[in-house]
Short mmCIF file of all heavy atoms in Angstrom, two decimals:
data_model
loop_
_atom_site.label_atom_id
_atom_site.label_comp_id
_atom_site.label_asym_id
_atom_site.label_seq_id
_atom_site.Cartn_x
_atom_site.Cartn_y
_atom_site.Cartn_z
N ARG A 119 68.35 96.67 95.98
CA ARG A 119 67.79 95.44 96.51
C ARG A 119 66.70 95.85 97.47
O ARG A 119 66.96 96.54 98.47
CB ARG A 119 68.86 94.61 97.24
CG ARG A 119 68.30 93.48 98.10
CD ARG A 119 67.78 92.33 97.25
NE ARG A 119 67.34 91.18 98.07
CZ ARG A 119 66.06 90.78 98.15
NH1 ARG A 119 65.10 91.42 97.51
NH2 ARG A 119 65.75 89.72 98.88
N CYS A 165 75.27 93.73 98.66
CA CYS A 165 74.27 92.81 99.20
C CYS A 165 74.99 91.52 99.61
O CYS A 165 75.87 91.03 98.89
CB CYS A 165 73.21 92.52 98.15
SG CYS A 165 71.93 91.40 98.72
N ALA A 166 74.58 90.95 100.75
CA ALA A 166 75.15 89.67 101.18
C ALA A 166 74.89 88.59 100.13
O ALA A 166 75.62 87.62 100.03
CB ALA A 166 74.56 89.25 102.52
N GLY A 268 74.97 94.68 102.93
CA GLY A 268 74.08 95.77 102.53
C GLY A 268 72.75 95.76 103.25
O GLY A 268 72.19 96.82 103.55
N ASN A 269 72.26 94.58 103.55
CA ASN A 269 70.95 94.45 104.20
C ASN A 269 70.83 95.29 105.47
O ASN A 269 69.74 95.77 105.81
CB ASN A 269 70.70 92.97 104.51
CG ASN A 269 69.34 92.74 105.11
OD1 ASN A 269 69.21 92.63 106.32
ND2 ASN A 269 68.33 92.73 104.27
N TYR A 294 69.61 86.11 105.65
CA TYR A 294 70.90 86.70 106.01
C TYR A 294 71.56 85.96 107.18
O TYR A 294 72.20 86.54 108.04
CB TYR A 294 70.77 88.21 106.28
CG TYR A 294 70.26 88.90 105.03
CD1 TYR A 294 68.93 89.23 104.88
CD2 TYR A 294 71.12 89.15 103.97
CE1 TYR A 294 68.46 89.80 103.70
CE2 TYR A 294 70.66 89.72 102.79
CZ TYR A 294 69.33 90.04 102.67
OH TYR A 294 68.87 90.59 101.51
MO1 MO B 502 70.89 92.48 100.43
#
Side-chain angles (χ1 to χ4, degrees):
R119 166 73 175 113
C165 180
N269 183 262
Y294 300 99

